[in-house]
Amino acid sequence: MSDLIDPKGGALVIANARTPNGMPLDLCLEGGLISSFAPRDDQGSPGVERLDAGGRIALPGLIEAHTHLDKNFIGLPWVRNETTSVRAERIVNERRLKRELGVDAGLQAERQLALALAHGTTHVRSHVDVDPEVGLESIKGVIAAREAFRGRVDVEIVAFPQSGCLVWPGVAALMEEALRLGADVVGGIDPGTIDRDPVAHLDLVFGLAARHGKPVDIHLHEPDELGAFCLELMAERTRALGMQGRVMASHAYCLGALPEKRLATLLDTMAQAGVAVMTAGPPGMPAPSVQRLRAAGVGVCVGTDAVRGFFVPYGSGDMIERLARVTERNGMSRDEDLEAAFGLITTESAAALGVPDYGLHVGAKADLVLLEAETLAQALIEPPRDRIVIKGGAIVAGTPA
Amino acid sequence: MSDLIDPKGGALVIANARTPNGMPLDLCLEGGLISSFAPRDDQGSPGVERLDAGGRIALPGLIEAHTHLDKNFIGLPWVRNETTSVRAERIVNERRLKRELGVDAGLQAERQLALALAHGTTHVRSHVDVDPEVGLESIKGVIAAREAFRGRVDVEIVAFPQSGCLVWPGVAALMEEALRLGADVVGGIDPGTIDRDPVAHLDLVFGLAARHGKPVDIHLHEPDELGAFCLELMAERTRALGMQGRVMASHAYCLGALPEKRLATLLDTMAQAGVAVMTAGPPGMPAPSVQRLRAAGVGVCVGTDAVRGFFVPYGSGDMIERLARVTERNGMSRDEDLEAAFGLITTESAAALGVPDYGLHVGAKADLVLLEAETLAQALIEPPRDRIVIKGGAIVAGTPA
């Protein structure tokens, strides 16, 4: 990162950029914020650094809304995947692999954060396993990685009971301890099929969240009406606790498999309760329709989920590539739809996750990615390899010409 | 391509390669064929060139079983996609774009072939539009591109009535003329929803094929039972005309949407008739299960379909990347499944398309791609960028160290 520019408290002027819809754009970044869009003529002055964006398109730094920093094989020799396709068996297999291979959650988190940053991601929400075997070691590792990347990538940590928290004695206490150590969000998983008691699971998760004043983010793979029932229970608890806008249903496959009338009612319930949805656009699975969620007023965001993970080996860690999977999955082909889709990894995602001071406006955090592309739609279809990434007003990745 | 090696009638010895399952491999290529797997000690002799594969994995040259060389925007300024999602409207829009933009089918075919070759593809089956507006111009353009790439990529041309051949007077005669000009395969499309008469459409297509001694390859997007009925009609005509092994159902979405018992019977009918299936693993659509096709004894192969096409902008032109989409779509994650999946773009595809003398055995055509990867599964998940491509015993793309 030898060519990186850090104004060290001064201003960074970005000249010759373009807006997402292709208009000329000059930005001035000061004090970690976007301070103006006016061209400046004091670019030679002391304390004012200048970057010629060469016509690149400026977007707010990309948001990864759902991944697992603690369990990937990035940078390691290839590990053969010999898992079954049954989720419960995959979870058991994963615990075995973590134990046998001694994968260092902190090191792997750093590797994945470096990959994310190179692709323009400046905010990551990561679920981190809390289970009876790994205890709090993964949480501690990812907290350390978060410190190592402070000022380059913001990391939200979800205390995630991958193996369930009712079926394993002690996991609930570990989750509580994870929140004290620095986890930001209370996780949950399949209240019925994994934890065997939807009401008790959700009461536990929402109870923890309410006591600690934290948001909730639940992996929901439950099928059909079981999934719909769980979403209703989540909406009820969200309203009862006044947690509107702080609850995420991750995956929510059931929303891709419900009859039309049932779907409409459920989405309305979710919109009123302020429960948002994260989708990774899974191929060959039922999945929520982005268009339907948006039309119903349900918040929606995109995550890569696994990147060279233990369950499945797929995933590059590039939010733009993942977004293209989601748009293709949702049948989007028109340029205007592809351009609007970038909201799913920028502004809409920030709203769904509650990321403050985010966007391409004066006063927003100076977190940006500059993309070399003819248009934003082209950037989606042919993701540019070299991206200039700016965090808190300093260039933190990429090589300006 | 300055570093390319052409033995010019002599032998090319490839040392230090690996088999698809990772065992050491030496190959000798002579007279355009794989002549032996024994190491040779005459590598300094006149007429014997040597390539150190550096441990790369050798595969037969990749096969692209289904694309549209005549209509892509590769290498052109970005064209905004403003189509609807309705196929019939997309087809009308596409005819308009071809007319208004004056896209040169021959030039675009060459651009896509260059892209395919760089990714290790040495055999391409391309559907080429024959319609009332473009007439035979696209066929002539792609025939010229085929000549330009002779000795580097083998190109099969399908005379393809994209807009239908019954609903447009004169298209059937144009297809016949395309076959005389050099098209290799008789195409067809949606006998019901596009051409409005399943029996008449299939009689026309199979009739042309029988008279000219050519194979058949039909785009079949027909839904559910209409699709199943068309597949039955195709199987009946295949058996009646003795065309077993020479008929392809491309896409065949309906096979992903039929009830279990109906599917089993239909696949049995197709297997007995020798009707194969091409799939591109479309996201968010019903699609045939690769595992079910294989288990039923139905031939199966993979194509990229569009690459920066007029309907949809997605597609990179890389068969390995496309294969990963198909495997993920089919829920394949285990290394042994991913490794076996390469058959879908190599040996199984050759069988489905009727490509002769193909494979990694003595006497097979010396068409190879050498992949730098730890294992074949890793090559699928992290497709190597630099590939050495060998056609007819000469290196035709890639940069050996």
Side-chain angles (χ1 to χ4, degrees):
Chain A
M1 304 201 291
S2 53
D3 295 332
L4 305 188
I5 299 174
D6 183 352
K8 295 191 174 62
L12 175 62
V13 171
I14 302 174
N16 199 20
R18 284 186 298 146
T19 65
N21 61 2
M23 305 303 290
L25 179 69
D26 289 82
L27 301 102
C28 182
L29 315 179
E30 279 175 293
L33 304 176
I34 299 175
S35 58
S36 82
F37 290 116
R40 286 172 59 137
D41 49 14
D42 63 344
Q43 295 175 12
S45 308
V48 181
E49 296 280 355
R50 182 179 188 275
L51 169 68
D52 185 334
R56 286 181 175 84
I57 294 172
L59 285 181
L62 307 182
I63 296 176
E64 158 72 270
H66 184 114
T67 190
H68 296 265
L69 290 174
D70 56 323
K71 38 187 188 182
N72 65 67
F73 292 128
I74 298 167
L76 295 174
W78 185 256
V79 177
R80 286 185 70 84
N81 185 312
E82 292 170 344
T83 56
T84 70
S85 60
V86 178
R87 181 166 294 103
E89 291 174 18
R90 283 179 169 176
I91 292 171
V92 171
N93 183 62
E94 183 179 73
R95 281 205 310 275
R96 183 184 60 78
L97 278 176
K98 280 195 287 189
R99 185 173 64 235
E100 290 179 6
L101 300 176
V103 171
D104 180 334
L107 176 58
Q108 293 313 115
E110 290 202 31
R111 285 174 167 157
Q112 189 175 337
L113 286 171
L115 191 66
L117 181 63
H119 285 118
T121 298
T122 57
H123 185 102
V124 171
R125 174 177 282 192
S126 173
H127 299 253
V128 180
D129 283 8
V130 176
D131 74 38
E133 293 199 14
V134 81
L136 294 168
E137 289 313 300
S138 295
I139 291 279
K140 289 174 184 169
V142 178
I143 286 174
R146 171 166 71 180
E147 286 309 309
F149 274 77
R150 189 169 295 280
R152 293 184 287 162
V153 184
D154 296 326
V155 178
E156 276 186 279
I157 295 174
V158 185
F160 174 49
Q162 169 79 73
S163 301
C165 44
L166 295 176
V167 291
W168 291 97
V171 168
L174 286 171
M175 289 172 68
E176 186 129 31
E177 182 61 18
L179 295 171
R180 284 196 207 96
L181 288 174
D184 308 282
V185 182
V186 183
I189 185 168
D190 294 339
T193 53
I194 299 277
D195 233 2
R196 317 306 304 162
D197 188 337
V199 170
H201 178 91
L202 292 171
D203 282 348
L204 191 159
V205 168
F206 278 86
L208 266 177
R211 279 206 306 286
H212 290 264
K214 301 291 187 190
V216 161
D217 191 331
I218 295 178
H219 278 66
L220 196 75
H221 317 95
E222 308 286 26
D224 307 321
E225 272 299 331
L226 181 56
F229 177 60
C230 288
L231 286 168
E232 287 175 342
L233 295 178
M234 286 173 66
E236 288 163 14
R237 280 152 187 74
T238 303
R239 271 200 306 261
L241 294 166
M243 288 182 64
Q244 288 87 342
R246 307 192 76 205
V247 175
M248 182 79 69
S250 278
H251 303 302
Y253 294 154
C254 63
L255 294 177
L258 295 174
E260 173 54 33
K261 278 183 74 171
R262 177 72 170 115
L263 178 64
T265 309
L266 182 58
L267 291 183
D268 196 41
T269 302
M270 292 170 67
Q272 286 181 28
V275 174
V277 170
M278 187 298 302
T279 183
M285 300 286 290
S289 155
V290 168
Q291 295 93 327
R292 285 301 306 268
L293 292 172
R294 282 171 161 173
V298 176
V300 54
C301 55
V302 164
T304 59
D305 201 2
V307 179
R308 277 203 57 185
F310 290 35
F311 282 20
V312 294
Y314 302 97
S316 70
D318 177 4
M319 288 309 301
I320 295 183
E321 199 179 297
R322 173 52 54 179
L323 179 62
R325 304 292 294 277
V326 172
T327 56
E328 193 175 2
R329 175 76 175 72
N330 280 271
M332 297 177 185
S333 287
R334 298 164 63 92
D335 279 48
E336 62 177 282
D337 296 331
L338 302 184
E339 286 158 7
F342 274 87
L344 300 170
I345 59 172
T346 59
T347 49
E348 287 172 82
S349 187
L353 267 61
V355 178
D357 305 321
Y358 179 91
L360 205 59
H361 55 80
V362 170
K365 282 185 297 191
D367 297 354
L368 301 168
V369 58
L370 304 178
L371 302 174
E372 193 162 9
E374 283 181 71
T375 71
L376 203 50
Q378 191 216 359
L380 185 68
I381 298 301
E382 300 174 336
R385 288 195 182 160
D386 296 319
R387 307 177 192 180
I388 299 175
V389 189
I390 294 166
K391 176 75 187 170
I395 300 177
V396 291
T399 308
Chain B
M1 304 200 294
S2 54
D3 295 332
L4 305 188
I5 299 173
D6 183 352
K8 294 190 174 63
L12 175 62
V13 172
I14 301 173
N16 198 22
R18 285 185 298 146
T19 64
N21 60 2
M23 305 303 291
L25 178 69
D26 290 83
L27 302 101
C28 183
L29 314 179
E30 279 175 295
L33 304 176
I34 298 173
S35 59
S36 82
F37 290 113
R40 285 171 61 138
D41 49 14
D42 63 347
Q43 294 175 14
S45 309
V48 181
E49 297 279 355
R50 182 178 188 275
L51 170 68
D52 185 334
R56 286 181 175 82
I57 294 171
L59 285 181
L62 307 182
I63 296 177
E64 158 71 271
H66 184 113
T67 192
H68 297 264
L69 291 174
D70 57 323
K71 38 186 189 183
N72 64 67
F73 293 128
I74 299 166
L76 295 174
W78 185 255
V79 177
R80 286 185 70 83
N81 184 312
E82 292 169 344
T83 56
T84 71
S85 61
V86 178
R87 183 167 291 104
E89 292 174 19
R90 283 180 169 175
I91 291 171
V92 171
N93 182 61
E94 182 179 75
R95 282 206 308 275
R96 181 183 63 76
L97 278 177
K98 280 195 288 190
R99 183 174 66 237
E100 290 179 5
L101 300 176
V103 171
D104 181 332
L107 176 58
Q108 294 313 116
E110 289 201 32
R111 285 174 167 157
Q112 189 174 337
L113 286 171
L115 191 66
L117 181 62
H119 285 118
T121 297
T122 57
H123 184 102
V124 170
R125 175 177 282 192
S126 174
H127 299 254
V128 180
D129 282 8
V130 176
D131 73 39
E133 293 199 14
V134 81
L136 294 167
E137 288 314 298
S138 295
I139 291 279
K140 289 174 184 168
V142 178
I143 286 175
R146 172 166 68 182
E147 286 310 309
F149 275 77
R150 191 169 293 283
R152 292 184 287 162
V153 184
D154 296 328
V155 179
E156 277 185 278
I157 295 174
V158 185
F160 174 49
Q162 169 79 72
S163 303
C165 44
L166 295 176
V167 290
W168 291 97
V171 168
L174 286 170
M175 289 172 68
E176 186 130 30
E177 183 61 19
L179 295 170
R180 283 196 208 96
L181 288 174
D184 308 283
V185 182
V186 183
I189 186 168
D190 294 339
T193 52
I194 299 275
D195 234 2
R196 318 305 307 164
D197 187 337
V199 170
H201 178 91
L202 292 172
D203 282 348
L204 191 160
V205 168
F206 277 87
L208 266 177
R211 280 207 304 287
H212 290 264
K214 302 290 188 190
V216 161
D217 192 331
I218 295 178
H219 279 65
L220 196 75
H221 317 96
E222 308 285 27
D224 307 320
E225 271 300 329
L226 180 56
F229 178 60
C230 288
L231 285 169
E232 288 175 342
L233 294 177
M234 286 174 67
E236 288 164 11
R237 280 151 186 75
T238 302
R239 272 200 307 261
L241 294 166
M243 287 181 64
Q244 288 88 341
R246 307 192 75 205
V247 175
M248 183 78 70
S250 277
H251 302 303
Y253 294 152
C254 63
L255 294 176
L258 296 173
E260 174 54 35
K261 278 184 74 172
R262 177 73 170 113
L263 178 65
T265 310
L266 181 57
L267 290 183
D268 195 42
T269 302
M270 292 171 67
Q272 286 181 27
V275 174
V277 170
M278 186 297 303
T279 184
M285 301 283 292
S289 153
V290 167
Q291 295 94 325
R292 286 301 307 268
L293 293 171
R294 281 170 162 173
V298 176
V300 55
C301 56
V302 164
T304 59
D305 202 1
V307 178
R308 277 204 57 184
F310 290 35
F311 282 18
V312 294
Y314 303 97
S316 70
D318 177 5
M319 289 308 302
I320 295 182
E321 200 179 296
R322 173 53 55 180
L323 178 62
R325 304 293 294 276
V326 172
T327 55
E328 193 175 3
R329 175 75 174 73
N330 281 271
M332 298 178 185
S333 288
R334 297 165 64 92
D335 279 49
E336 60 176 285
D337 296 332
L338 302 184
E339 286 158 7
F342 274 88
L344 301 171
I345 59 171
T346 59
T347 48
E348 289 171 81
S349 187
L353 269 60
V355 178
D357 306 321
Y358 179 93
L360 205 59
H361 53 82
V362 171
K365 283 184 296 194
D367 298 353
L368 302 169
V369 58
L370 304 178
L371 302 173
E372 194 163 7
E374 281 182 73
T375 73
L376 203 50
Q378 193 217 355
L380 185 67
I381 299 300
E382 300 174 337
R385 288 194 182 162
D386 297 320
R387 307 177 191 181
I388 299 174
V389 190
I390 294 165
K391 176 75 186 169
I395 300 175
V396 291
T399 308

